[in-house]
Amino acid sequence: MIVCPTCSKENQDHYKFCLGCGSDLPRPGGDDKPLATTTPPAGVAAVSNMPVPAPAPDPAPVAPQPTAETAVAEPPSAPEPAAVPAPEPAAVPAPEPAAAPAPAAESEGTQCASCGAMISPGFAFCGACGATVAGVSPTSGPVGAFGKDSAKLVLIQPDGTEGGTVEIPTSEVAVGRDAGGFFGSDAYLSPRHAVFKSDGKNVNVKDEGSLNGVFVKIMPNESREIGSGDIFRIGQELILFEAIDRGSASADGTEKMGSPVEGLWGRLSLIVGKGRLGNAFPAGGDGVILGRERGNIIFPEDGYVSGIHLRIHADGDKYFITDLGSSNGSFQKINGEATVSGGDFLLMGAQLFRIDF
């Protein structure tokens, strides 16, 4: 067990954050050094390829070893061979014509220095990781199709750093496993998951009937309106909200028979599979609080749910959801399509993204 240095709560050995207060936990053995990513080594390898031509000239000394000059120079003294390397740099240009075939390879694309993916000719950025291509101007080639009104979809990695970037132009662009790059490796994304389009101020997101949906992060301590049939996510829990008919009369004034609903206005059901619901909980009164340790509905086994995570309440005929400053956030599923703004976070598949302008 790991004891939190901030609140003294015990946490399991594999937890990175305290389940009581959300603080960073010391790593086992006191090693707080973050894990290295694959990007730095890839970058170093690419840079090291540039000086490779320098070793190449080494064989050149063998060529300029004519029998005439070496035979006479050897008997007098060893310093004379030192004079031989001096002219050799002049001989280096000779092998360089052999590098001329490189342009031919360029027609097939270049290799990204960061992730190793192949990049088509003329592209200024890697489609897999978003890295800049050396020697290509961002204003040339296909990149010119993105104007000042375009937005960006930025990948947020598990450690909080930014990953790759995808441009969202004013025309529709589809995202999913078929897009490749960091999308292609996410098995929870559908082949064509969602379509994005920017208008310069906001971004329209349309769910293309994906299996796992698109979720928008609810800003902490800000109430967000939800409707009957909406789905939201906290930790690893998918929850369906349904409003309860409070016994209203029909259009002709006829009232329904049965026991009156006393203070209940909604029902929360756990989604355990496609079209399958698990436990259901009533919602009524001043509101319902969900959390891992305290509240009306508790998920003690879900380490990604905060002690007090979220509240749902009714205001007349409207219903609202409020994230209570949870560590991992709360997310509402998009129904069909929605408009998001710069700074909004989206959860698609197993990855988190941010909208930037």
Side-chain angles (χ1 to χ4, degrees):
M1 301 294 289
I2 302 177
V3 178
C4 176
T6 303
C7 67
S8 301
K9 178 177 179 57
E10 292 187 346
N11 298 268
Q12 296 184 26
D13 291 337
H14 63 279
Y15 285 179
K16 295 182 179 179
F17 303 96
C18 176
L19 298 183
C21 64
S23 300
D24 291 342
L25 293 174
R27 297 183 62 83
D31 183 10
D32 293 331
K33 184 179 180 180
L35 297 176
T37 63
T38 55
T39 302
V44 173
V47 175
S48 65
N49 287 339
M50 300 300 294
V52 169
D58 289 346
V62 180
Q65 269 182 329
T67 54
E69 194 139 359
T70 34
V72 179
E74 274 184 47
S77 63
E80 296 235 26
V84 177
E88 279 174 36
V92 174
E96 291 209 36
E106 252 178 71
S107 62
E108 300 176 1
T110 57
Q111 189 172 19
C112 177
S114 294
C115 67
M118 293 304 297
I119 305 171
S120 301
F123 279 72
F125 302 95
C126 173
C129 68
T132 304
V133 179
V136 181
S137 171
T139 58
S140 64
V143 181
F146 300 108
K148 60 182 178 61
D149 292 333
S150 64
K152 294 179 181 179
L153 189 65
V154 182
L155 172 66
I156 305 299
Q157 298 177 340
D159 61 359
T161 59
E162 295 183 1
T165 300
V166 175
E167 294 278 357
I168 303 176
T170 52
S171 57
E172 292 188 344
V173 58
V175 164
R177 285 204 320 276
D178 286 349
F182 48 76
F183 297 112
S185 59
D186 190 343
Y188 294 99
L189 287 175
S190 296
R192 184 181 172 91
H193 199 95
V195 170
F196 291 79
K197 182 179 179 180
S198 170
D199 64 4
K201 296 180 180 178
N202 298 294
V203 172
N204 181 265
V205 187
K206 181 180 179 183
D207 188 337
E208 290 287 278
S210 63
L211 180 62
N212 294 310
V214 180
F215 292 78
V216 180
K217 185 176 182 180
I218 301 169
M219 292 295 102
N221 302 311
E222 291 184 10
S223 295
R224 185 185 184 98
E225 185 175 355
I226 60 173
S228 183
D230 280 359
I231 296 173
F232 61 93
R233 174 175 176 171
I234 62 172
Q236 296 179 325
E237 316 300 327
L238 282 178
I239 303 172
L240 168 67
F241 170 75
E242 297 173 288
I244 294 178
D245 186 346
R246 306 185 198 183
S248 58
S250 60
D252 60 4
T254 305
E255 295 185 0
K256 294 180 180 179
M257 296 182 65
S259 301
V261 177
E262 297 181 358
L264 297 181
W265 41 260
R267 175 174 53 244
L268 301 174
S269 303
L270 297 181
I271 299 176
V272 296
K274 186 177 181 181
R276 295 170 52 207
L277 298 178
N279 295 338
F281 308 89
D286 295 333
V288 176
I289 292 179
L290 290 72
R292 192 189 68 259
E293 296 177 343
R294 300 186 296 278
N296 306 99
I297 305 174
I298 298 177
F299 304 96
E301 302 300 323
D302 192 337
Y304 296 97
V305 176
S306 294
I308 298 179
H309 198 107
L310 175 140
R311 176 175 181 258
I312 300 177
H313 71 279
D315 186 358
D317 293 331
K318 294 184 178 181
Y319 308 95
F320 298 89
I321 187 171
T322 306
D323 181 273
L324 301 177
S326 64
S327 298
N328 295 309
S330 305
F331 298 83
Q332 181 182 3
K333 186 178 181 182
I334 290 176
N335 292 323
E337 59 183 302
T339 299
V340 293
S341 306
D344 283 347
F345 289 87
L346 300 178
L347 184 64
M348 294 189 295
Q351 301 178 95
L352 183 66
F353 300 88
R354 187 184 67 235
I355 299 292
D356 280 354
F357 278 94

